Structures are given as C-alpha cells and as structure tokens.
C-alpha cells in the first residue's frame, strides 16, 4: 500500500491502526536522522516518538504523493534542533562534553540501517536464531535446544545467514 | 568488513530493531489514547449540545415570557426582551449550523 493510500485511510475513515504501518516503515530512518543531530540514543528515541505523534496530528498538511519519509525527516530535524537548543539553555556545561561512548558516524549508521533491512528480510526462524546467538549471546548448543534444531543444523544455518547478510551488505542480489 | 565487525553490527542491528519496536509500540499506544480522549470529548460535546442547549433555550424563553407577562404594559421593556430573544435565536441557529463533532 502506498503512503498516500494509507494517509487517505486514516484521514478519510479515521483508521488510526493504519498509522502503525507508517511508523513501522519509517521509524528507522527517522531515528537515524534524529541520532545524527542529537548524538544520544535516548534523546533520539524521544524525538522519534514525538515526530510520529506530531506527524499524525498534522497528517492533513502533508501534500505529497510519494514517500512520507522526507516530510517526517524534516519534522524530526526541527524537533531535534529545538530539543538541543532547550538542552543547551538548561545546562551550564556544554553538551559536547557528555557525548556517548560510541561516537556517531554517518557511515556506521548507514551500514546499520542496511543491516537492519537485511535482517528484516530473513524468515522469522532465522531471525530468531540471530537474536539468540548474536544478541542474547547463546551458544550454538543453547540455540539448538531452544529452537528444537540439531547443533549441526544451527551451525549450518548461522553460516548461511551470515553469507546471505554479507551479500546483502555488499549490495549483491541473493 | 571483518567477521568480528559483522558480529558486532548484527548485535547492534538486533538491538536497534528491538528499540524501534519499542518506539512503534509506544507511539501507537499514545496515539490510540489521544484518539480515545478525542472521541470521548466529542461525545460529551454532543451530549451537551443535544441536551444543554435546548435546556438553556427553554429556561431563557421561560424567563423572557415571565418578564413580559409581569410587565405587559411596558413596550420598551417588551421590545428589548424580544430583541434579546431574537439575538439569542440568531446565535443558536449559527451554533447549530457550525456544529461539528470533529472540531473538538
């Protein structure tokens, strides 16, 4: 479904539930943009939430026909800049002194977005294996136990998933 | 990209996906709450409009009628009461025409 169709559903028929699709589609992009300005994930998270809420209340102002992304990005940028301004006025010490440990970089962020997209294209079972092994730091034995597969099967699957993700990160067709 | 970097990035990506899910959930929760509140305000507004306004008009009309019947021989007084009744009717009709449930 195109963004315009979803917006028409929300505005015309009052279907708030449809907005979930918009949020799901663009929260990554909006978060990245907010993070690029704020450089702190807590603030970026807050800005992302505010962006979608503000966008919903002003949805009738959107005149575009293509993607909502540019419009949402502009809202996020405005919100991020004003949040930073507020923060700067509130603090006595400069914000730069309290930057997070991992410095932000556009390249890294771009790669991360690519990685998210690559992971989201995986089947649910594969995503579960990735989550268990890379995020929850489970051993292959533990992954096998929790997914009901054999350990050898988990190892093969992990290898295939890695190869698939590597290819996608390089922009190769699968 | 080395294997180690890939591992780290996969960890970060899964973490980010979780966080975005969390954002999506809280945005939708807040929006649903807002819509619910808006609907309930609209309902109250409709109830007020449907019952409150006729009640106000009835009380106002009764008071005007009583005043006119107490002082029937004062043409200026009766005239001013009638004028105020007409003015009120004008505003009531305008209010009815402009009434909108969505405009809460």
């Amino acid at each position: 479904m195109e963004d315009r169709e979803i917006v028409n559903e929300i505005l015309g028929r009052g279907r708030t539930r449809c907005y979930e699709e918009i949020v799901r589609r663009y929260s990554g992009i909006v978060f990245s943009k907010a993070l690029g300005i704020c450089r702190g994930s807590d603030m970026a998270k807050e800005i992302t939430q505010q962006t979608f809420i503000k966008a919903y209340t002003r949805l009738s102002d959107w005149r575009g026909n293509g993607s909502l992304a540019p419009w949402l990005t502009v809202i996020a940028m405005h919100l991020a800049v004003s949040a930073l301004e507020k923060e700067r006025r509130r603090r006595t010490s400069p914000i730069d002194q309290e930057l997070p440990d991992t410095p932000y970089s556009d390249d890294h962020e771009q790669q991360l977005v690519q990685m998210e997209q690559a992971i989201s294209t995986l089947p649910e079972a594969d995503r579960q294996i990735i989550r268990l092994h890379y995020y929850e730091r489970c051993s292959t034995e533990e992954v096998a136990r929790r997914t009901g597969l054999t350990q050898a099967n988990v190892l093969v699957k992990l290898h295939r998933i890695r190869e698939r993700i590597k290819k996608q990160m390089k922009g190769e067709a699968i | 990209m080395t294997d180690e970097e890939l591992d780290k990035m996969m960890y970060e990506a899964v973490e980010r996906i979780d966080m975005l899910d969390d954002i999506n959930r809280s945005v939708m929760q807040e929006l649903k709450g807002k819509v619910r509140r808006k609907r309930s305000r609209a309902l109250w507004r409709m109830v007020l409009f449907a019952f409150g306004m006729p009640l106000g008009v009835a009380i106002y009309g009764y008071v005007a009628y009583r005043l006119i019947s107490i002082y029937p021989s004062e043409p200026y007084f009766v005239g001013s009461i009638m004028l105020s009744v007409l003015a009120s009717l004008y505003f009531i009709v305008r209010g009815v025409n402009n009434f909108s449930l969505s405009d809460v």
Side-chain angles (χ1 to χ4, degrees):
Chain A
M1 212 178 191
E2 294 286 311
D3 289 355
R4 175 44 72 189
E5 290 173 71
I6 297 176
V7 169
N8 288 344
E9 281 284 306
I10 298 165
L11 293 176
R13 298 185 186 187
R15 288 188 180 160
T16 313
R17 200 179 285 266
C18 294
Y19 196 62
E20 206 161 354
E21 178 59 26
I22 300 278
V23 180
R24 201 187 54 73
R25 270 185 205 172
Y26 300 116
S27 57
I29 297 169
V30 170
F31 180 81
S32 279
K33 189 52 93 176
L35 190 65
I37 297 169
C38 307
R39 310 288 160 112
S41 70
D42 281 346
M43 196 189 253
K45 197 175 164 184
E46 183 66 34
I47 299 291
T48 309
Q49 288 179 4
Q50 283 178 18
T51 301
F52 283 104
I53 289 163
K54 194 170 185 179
Y56 182 84
T57 56
R58 296 186 177 182
L59 213 50
S60 54
D61 294 348
W62 183 57
R63 298 273 172 258
N65 270 318
S67 163
L68 264 167
W71 186 63
L72 289 170
T73 311
V74 170
I75 297 177
M77 277 164 61
H78 282 298
L79 286 172
V81 168
S82 65
L84 274 183
E85 270 302 312
K86 245 185 234 173
E87 193 78 353
R88 197 166 288 145
R89 264 178 293 182
R90 201 171 59 83
R91 289 176 190 224
T92 46
S93 63
I95 287 175
D96 297 352
Q97 286 174 9
E98 289 177 43
L99 282 176
D101 296 337
T102 37
Y104 173 90
S105 101
D106 280 338
D107 286 344
H108 181 74
E109 192 58 31
Q110 214 173 344
Q111 280 184 325
L112 206 57
V113 170
Q114 247 183 309
M115 176 67 84
E116 278 168 41
Q117 283 166 353
I119 292 176
S120 62
T121 60
L122 292 172
E124 180 56 39
D126 291 355
R127 279 210 299 267
Q128 174 74 355
I129 292 174
I130 287 197
R131 177 176 297 280
L132 290 171
H133 187 65
Y134 293 103
Y135 188 62
E136 294 183 23
R137 307 279 190 215
C138 295
S139 64
T140 48
E141 196 184 341
E142 175 72 8
V143 175
R145 200 181 58 75
R146 286 170 70 170
T147 54
L149 299 166
T150 62
Q151 199 176 345
N153 208 339
V154 169
L155 282 167
V156 170
K157 271 188 176 284
L158 276 174
H159 177 74
R160 284 188 188 153
I161 292 168
R162 284 176 70 90
E163 289 309 307
R164 182 178 166 157
I165 286 177
K166 266 186 196 171
K167 272 187 188 170
Q168 271 186 280
M169 294 293 283
K170 283 179 194 163
E172 291 175 23
I174 303 156
Chain B
M1 188 187 285
T2 64
D3 279 356
E4 203 176 304
E5 282 171 340
L6 190 75
D7 287 356
K8 191 171 173 257
M9 193 154 278
M10 277 164 104
Y11 174 85
E12 283 179 40
V14 175
E15 192 180 31
R16 174 74 64 89
I17 288 168
D18 276 358
M19 195 185 59
L20 292 178
D21 278 348
D22 190 39
I23 290 175
N24 299 356
R25 248 194 318 275
S26 52
V27 166
M28 288 315 294
Q29 220 170 348
E30 186 155 347
L31 282 181
K32 279 173 189 166
K34 260 180 193 271
V35 170
R36 237 193 334 267
R37 282 194 294 277
K38 194 178 172 184
R39 278 191 191 143
S40 111
R41 272 204 304 272
L43 188 73
W44 278 111
R45 195 165 180 264
M46 193 179 73
V47 168
L48 207 72
F49 187 78
F51 297 102
M53 195 185 270
L55 188 71
V57 170
I59 292 170
Y60 186 72
Y62 178 73
V63 170
Y65 167 75
R66 291 292 295 164
L67 285 173
I68 290 170
S69 55
I70 291 168
Y71 308 104
S73 54
E74 299 283 345
Y76 287 113
F77 179 74
V78 172
S80 61
I81 292 283
M82 288 309 288
L83 202 67
S84 76
V85 167
L86 284 175
S88 311
L89 278 174
Y90 168 74
F91 285 113
I92 287 164
V93 169
R94 224 173 67 160
V96 170
N97 284 337
N98 294 338
F99 181 76
S100 157
L101 273 181
S102 55
D103 184 27
V104 181

PDB file of all heavy atoms in Angstrom, chain A residues 7-28:
ATOM      1  N   VAL A   7      -2.526   7.263   4.201  1.00  0.00           N
ATOM      2  CA  VAL A   7      -2.920   8.559   4.777  1.00  0.00           C
ATOM      3  C   VAL A   7      -4.404   8.819   4.503  1.00  0.00           C
ATOM      4  O   VAL A   7      -5.134   9.275   5.391  1.00  0.00           O
ATOM      5  CB  VAL A   7      -2.020   9.696   4.221  1.00  0.00           C
ATOM      6  CG1 VAL A   7      -2.568  11.063   4.591  1.00  0.00           C
ATOM      7  CG2 VAL A   7      -0.595   9.542   4.731  1.00  0.00           C
ATOM      8  N   ASN A   8      -4.853   8.512   3.306  1.00  0.00           N
ATOM      9  CA  ASN A   8      -6.273   8.712   2.980  1.00  0.00           C
ATOM     10  C   ASN A   8      -7.174   7.836   3.853  1.00  0.00           C
ATOM     11  O   ASN A   8      -8.252   8.275   4.271  1.00  0.00           O
ATOM     12  CB  ASN A   8      -6.531   8.408   1.505  1.00  0.00           C
ATOM     13  CG  ASN A   8      -5.946   9.493   0.617  1.00  0.00           C
ATOM     14  OD1 ASN A   8      -5.615  10.587   1.084  1.00  0.00           O
ATOM     15  ND2 ASN A   8      -5.793   9.198  -0.659  1.00  0.00           N
ATOM     16  N   GLU A   9      -6.716   6.623   4.125  1.00  0.00           N
ATOM     17  CA  GLU A   9      -7.477   5.730   5.005  1.00  0.00           C
ATOM     18  C   GLU A   9      -7.618   6.350   6.394  1.00  0.00           C
ATOM     19  O   GLU A   9      -8.681   6.307   6.999  1.00  0.00           O
ATOM     20  CB  GLU A   9      -6.763   4.379   5.151  1.00  0.00           C
ATOM     21  CG  GLU A   9      -6.964   3.442   3.988  1.00  0.00           C
ATOM     22  CD  GLU A   9      -8.332   2.800   4.002  1.00  0.00           C
ATOM     23  OE1 GLU A   9      -8.698   2.211   5.016  1.00  0.00           O
ATOM     24  OE2 GLU A   9      -9.026   2.908   2.972  1.00  0.00           O
ATOM     25  N   ILE A  10      -6.497   6.905   6.881  1.00  0.00           N
ATOM     26  CA  ILE A  10      -6.508   7.475   8.235  1.00  0.00           C
ATOM     27  C   ILE A  10      -7.388   8.726   8.279  1.00  0.00           C
ATOM     28  O   ILE A  10      -8.225   8.880   9.157  1.00  0.00           O
ATOM     29  CB  ILE A  10      -5.073   7.816   8.700  1.00  0.00           C
ATOM     30  CG1 ILE A  10      -4.220   6.546   8.763  1.00  0.00           C
ATOM     31  CG2 ILE A  10      -5.079   8.518  10.049  1.00  0.00           C
ATOM     32  CD1 ILE A  10      -2.734   6.803   8.844  1.00  0.00           C
ATOM     33  N   LEU A  11      -7.172   9.610   7.294  1.00  0.00           N
ATOM     34  CA  LEU A  11      -7.911  10.876   7.302  1.00  0.00           C
ATOM     35  C   LEU A  11      -9.387  10.674   6.928  1.00  0.00           C
ATOM     36  O   LEU A  11     -10.260  11.267   7.536  1.00  0.00           O
ATOM     37  CB  LEU A  11      -7.273  11.872   6.333  1.00  0.00           C
ATOM     38  CG  LEU A  11      -5.872  12.370   6.700  1.00  0.00           C
ATOM     39  CD1 LEU A  11      -5.331  13.268   5.609  1.00  0.00           C
ATOM     40  CD2 LEU A  11      -5.874  13.113   8.029  1.00  0.00           C
ATOM     41  N   GLY A  12      -9.614   9.833   5.944  1.00  0.00           N
ATOM     42  CA  GLY A  12     -10.989   9.652   5.463  1.00  0.00           C
ATOM     43  C   GLY A  12     -11.828   8.771   6.350  1.00  0.00           C
ATOM     44  O   GLY A  12     -12.973   9.081   6.636  1.00  0.00           O
ATOM     45  N   ARG A  13     -11.254   7.669   6.786  1.00  0.00           N
ATOM     46  CA  ARG A  13     -12.061   6.714   7.556  1.00  0.00           C
ATOM     47  C   ARG A  13     -11.693   6.656   9.026  1.00  0.00           C
ATOM     48  O   ARG A  13     -12.237   5.838   9.779  1.00  0.00           O
ATOM     49  CB  ARG A  13     -11.895   5.311   6.954  1.00  0.00           C
ATOM     50  CG  ARG A  13     -12.392   5.240   5.531  1.00  0.00           C
ATOM     51  CD  ARG A  13     -12.324   3.832   5.046  1.00  0.00           C
ATOM     52  NE  ARG A  13     -12.671   3.745   3.644  1.00  0.00           N
ATOM     53  CZ  ARG A  13     -12.811   2.610   2.997  1.00  0.00           C
ATOM     54  NH1 ARG A  13     -12.635   1.481   3.621  1.00  0.00           N
ATOM     55  NH2 ARG A  13     -13.107   2.597   1.732  1.00  0.00           N
ATOM     56  N   GLY A  14     -10.734   7.493   9.424  1.00  0.00           N
ATOM     57  CA  GLY A  14     -10.344   7.543  10.840  1.00  0.00           C
ATOM     58  C   GLY A  14      -9.705   6.268  11.339  1.00  0.00           C
ATOM     59  O   GLY A  14      -9.840   5.915  12.512  1.00  0.00           O
ATOM     60  N   ARG A  15      -9.026   5.549  10.440  1.00  0.00           N
ATOM     61  CA  ARG A  15      -8.397   4.294  10.855  1.00  0.00           C
ATOM     62  C   ARG A  15      -6.996   4.548  11.403  1.00  0.00           C
ATOM     63  O   ARG A  15      -6.005   4.510  10.671  1.00  0.00           O
ATOM     64  CB  ARG A  15      -8.318   3.320   9.682  1.00  0.00           C
ATOM     65  CG  ARG A  15      -9.661   2.775   9.333  1.00  0.00           C
ATOM     66  CD  ARG A  15      -9.540   1.679   8.315  1.00  0.00           C
ATOM     67  NE  ARG A  15     -10.863   1.168   8.009  1.00  0.00           N
ATOM     68  CZ  ARG A  15     -11.140   0.491   6.924  1.00  0.00           C
ATOM     69  NH1 ARG A  15     -10.207   0.234   6.045  1.00  0.00           N
ATOM     70  NH2 ARG A  15     -12.355   0.063   6.708  1.00  0.00           N
ATOM     71  N   THR A  16      -6.926   4.787  12.694  1.00  0.00           N
ATOM     72  CA  THR A  16      -5.637   5.070  13.349  1.00  0.00           C
ATOM     73  C   THR A  16      -4.689   3.881  13.226  1.00  0.00           C
ATOM     74  O   THR A  16      -3.477   4.061  13.133  1.00  0.00           O
ATOM     75  CB  THR A  16      -5.882   5.362  14.840  1.00  0.00           C
ATOM     76  OG1 THR A  16      -6.955   6.280  14.942  1.00  0.00           O
ATOM     77  CG2 THR A  16      -4.662   5.958  15.506  1.00  0.00           C
ATOM     78  N   ARG A  17      -5.254   2.692  13.217  1.00  0.00           N
ATOM     79  CA  ARG A  17      -4.456   1.467  13.171  1.00  0.00           C
ATOM     80  C   ARG A  17      -3.529   1.439  11.939  1.00  0.00           C
ATOM     81  O   ARG A  17      -2.430   0.907  11.993  1.00  0.00           O
ATOM     82  CB  ARG A  17      -5.399   0.267  13.140  1.00  0.00           C
ATOM     83  CG  ARG A  17      -4.771  -1.028  13.549  1.00  0.00           C
ATOM     84  CD  ARG A  17      -5.837  -2.099  13.501  1.00  0.00           C
ATOM     85  NE  ARG A  17      -6.744  -1.996  14.634  1.00  0.00           N
ATOM     86  CZ  ARG A  17      -6.591  -2.674  15.762  1.00  0.00           C
ATOM     87  NH1 ARG A  17      -5.593  -3.496  15.887  1.00  0.00           N
ATOM     88  NH2 ARG A  17      -7.429  -2.537  16.754  1.00  0.00           N
ATOM     89  N   CYS A  18      -3.986   2.057  10.851  1.00  0.00           N
ATOM     90  CA  CYS A  18      -3.186   2.078   9.610  1.00  0.00           C
ATOM     91  C   CYS A  18      -1.870   2.824   9.814  1.00  0.00           C
ATOM     92  O   CYS A  18      -0.905   2.597   9.087  1.00  0.00           O
ATOM     93  CB  CYS A  18      -3.954   2.746   8.484  1.00  0.00           C
ATOM     94  SG  CYS A  18      -5.392   1.844   7.976  1.00  0.00           S
ATOM     95  N   TYR A  19      -1.874   3.740  10.771  1.00  0.00           N
ATOM     96  CA  TYR A  19      -0.667   4.549  11.000  1.00  0.00           C
ATOM     97  C   TYR A  19       0.495   3.679  11.471  1.00  0.00           C
ATOM     98  O   TYR A  19       1.654   4.044  11.299  1.00  0.00           O
ATOM     99  CB  TYR A  19      -0.992   5.628  12.034  1.00  0.00           C
ATOM    100  CG  TYR A  19       0.027   6.751  12.093  1.00  0.00           C
ATOM    101  CD1 TYR A  19       0.254   7.565  10.992  1.00  0.00           C
ATOM    102  CD2 TYR A  19       0.752   6.996  13.248  1.00  0.00           C
ATOM    103  CE1 TYR A  19       1.174   8.590  11.047  1.00  0.00           C
ATOM    104  CE2 TYR A  19       1.670   8.022  13.309  1.00  0.00           C
ATOM    105  CZ  TYR A  19       1.876   8.817  12.211  1.00  0.00           C
ATOM    106  OH  TYR A  19       2.787   9.830  12.249  1.00  0.00           O
ATOM    107  N   GLU A  20       0.175   2.544  12.042  1.00  0.00           N
ATOM    108  CA  GLU A  20       1.196   1.612  12.518  1.00  0.00           C
ATOM    109  C   GLU A  20       2.147   1.228  11.373  1.00  0.00           C
ATOM    110  O   GLU A  20       3.348   1.088  11.579  1.00  0.00           O
ATOM    111  CB  GLU A  20       0.498   0.358  13.048  1.00  0.00           C
ATOM    112  CG  GLU A  20       1.319  -0.360  14.079  1.00  0.00           C
ATOM    113  CD  GLU A  20       0.487  -1.308  14.926  1.00  0.00           C
ATOM    114  OE1 GLU A  20      -0.746  -1.334  14.787  1.00  0.00           O
ATOM    115  OE2 GLU A  20       1.102  -2.008  15.729  1.00  0.00           O
ATOM    116  N   GLU A  21       1.594   1.093  10.200  1.00  0.00           N
ATOM    117  CA  GLU A  21       2.392   0.728   9.022  1.00  0.00           C
ATOM    118  C   GLU A  21       3.379   1.854   8.683  1.00  0.00           C
ATOM    119  O   GLU A  21       4.548   1.604   8.383  1.00  0.00           O
ATOM    120  CB  GLU A  21       1.446   0.453   7.841  1.00  0.00           C
ATOM    121  CG  GLU A  21       2.113   0.118   6.526  1.00  0.00           C
ATOM    122  CD  GLU A  21       3.008  -1.113   6.569  1.00  0.00           C
ATOM    123  OE1 GLU A  21       2.790  -1.998   7.406  1.00  0.00           O
ATOM    124  OE2 GLU A  21       3.956  -1.157   5.753  1.00  0.00           O
ATOM    125  N   ILE A  22       2.902   3.085   8.794  1.00  0.00           N
ATOM    126  CA  ILE A  22       3.776   4.242   8.534  1.00  0.00           C
ATOM    127  C   ILE A  22       4.909   4.265   9.551  1.00  0.00           C
ATOM    128  O   ILE A  22       6.081   4.447   9.212  1.00  0.00           O
ATOM    129  CB  ILE A  22       2.960   5.567   8.635  1.00  0.00           C
ATOM    130  CG1 ILE A  22       1.832   5.589   7.629  1.00  0.00           C
ATOM    131  CG2 ILE A  22       3.856   6.797   8.547  1.00  0.00           C
ATOM    132  CD1 ILE A  22       2.180   6.000   6.235  1.00  0.00           C
ATOM    133  N   VAL A  23       4.548   4.076  10.826  1.00  0.00           N
ATOM    134  CA  VAL A  23       5.561   4.104  11.894  1.00  0.00           C
ATOM    135  C   VAL A  23       6.581   2.990  11.663  1.00  0.00           C
ATOM    136  O   VAL A  23       7.788   3.212  11.768  1.00  0.00           O
ATOM    137  CB  VAL A  23       4.898   3.956  13.296  1.00  0.00           C
ATOM    138  CG1 VAL A  23       5.940   3.984  14.397  1.00  0.00           C
ATOM    139  CG2 VAL A  23       3.888   5.054  13.528  1.00  0.00           C
ATOM    140  N   ARG A  24       6.097   1.814  11.309  1.00  0.00           N
ATOM    141  CA  ARG A  24       6.982   0.677  11.084  1.00  0.00           C
ATOM    142  C   ARG A  24       7.920   0.938   9.896  1.00  0.00           C
ATOM    143  O   ARG A  24       9.097   0.640   9.957  1.00  0.00           O
ATOM    144  CB  ARG A  24       6.130  -0.577  10.824  1.00  0.00           C
ATOM    145  CG  ARG A  24       6.841  -1.890  11.073  1.00  0.00           C
ATOM    146  CD  ARG A  24       5.989  -3.061  10.643  1.00  0.00           C
ATOM    147  NE  ARG A  24       5.528  -2.975   9.268  1.00  0.00           N
ATOM    148  CZ  ARG A  24       6.298  -3.167   8.201  1.00  0.00           C
ATOM    149  NH1 ARG A  24       7.562  -3.457   8.340  1.00  0.00           N
ATOM    150  NH2 ARG A  24       5.802  -3.062   6.989  1.00  0.00           N
ATOM    151  N   ARG A  25       7.369   1.556   8.855  1.00  0.00           N
ATOM    152  CA  ARG A  25       8.181   1.816   7.662  1.00  0.00           C
ATOM    153  C   ARG A  25       9.293   2.828   7.906  1.00  0.00           C
ATOM    154  O   ARG A  25      10.391   2.685   7.396  1.00  0.00           O
ATOM    155  CB  ARG A  25       7.292   2.399   6.550  1.00  0.00           C
ATOM    156  CG  ARG A  25       6.682   1.355   5.672  1.00  0.00           C
ATOM    157  CD  ARG A  25       5.920   2.014   4.542  1.00  0.00           C
ATOM    158  NE  ARG A  25       4.884   1.107   4.079  1.00  0.00           N
ATOM    159  CZ  ARG A  25       3.950   1.425   3.214  1.00  0.00           C
ATOM    160  NH1 ARG A  25       3.901   2.634   2.711  1.00  0.00           N
ATOM    161  NH2 ARG A  25       3.054   0.543   2.841  1.00  0.00           N
ATOM    162  N   TYR A  26       8.975   3.876   8.642  1.00  0.00           N
ATOM    163  CA  TYR A  26       9.919   4.991   8.696  1.00  0.00           C
ATOM    164  C   TYR A  26      10.589   5.241  10.043  1.00  0.00           C
ATOM    165  O   TYR A  26      11.371   6.171  10.157  1.00  0.00           O
ATOM    166  CB  TYR A  26       9.223   6.280   8.222  1.00  0.00           C
ATOM    167  CG  TYR A  26       8.717   6.143   6.806  1.00  0.00           C
ATOM    168  CD1 TYR A  26       7.363   6.186   6.516  1.00  0.00           C
ATOM    169  CD2 TYR A  26       9.601   5.932   5.755  1.00  0.00           C
ATOM    170  CE1 TYR A  26       6.892   6.031   5.221  1.00  0.00           C
ATOM    171  CE2 TYR A  26       9.149   5.773   4.460  1.00  0.00           C
ATOM    172  CZ  TYR A  26       7.788   5.820   4.202  1.00  0.00           C
ATOM    173  OH  TYR A  26       7.342   5.666   2.919  1.00  0.00           O
ATOM    174  N   SER A  27      10.283   4.449  11.052  1.00  0.00           N
ATOM    175  CA  SER A  27      10.894   4.744  12.358  1.00  0.00           C
ATOM    176  C   SER A  27      12.423   4.633  12.299  1.00  0.00           C
ATOM    177  O   SER A  27      13.129   5.403  12.953  1.00  0.00           O
ATOM    178  CB  SER A  27      10.310   3.855  13.451  1.00  0.00           C
ATOM    179  OG  SER A  27      10.470   2.507  13.123  1.00  0.00           O
ATOM    180  N   GLY A  28      12.937   3.697  11.505  1.00  0.00           N
ATOM    181  CA  GLY A  28      14.391   3.545  11.388  1.00  0.00           C
ATOM    182  C   GLY A  28      15.047   4.772  10.793  1.00  0.00           C
ATOM    183  O   GLY A  28      16.037   5.288  11.322  1.00  0.00           O
TER     184      GLY A  28
END
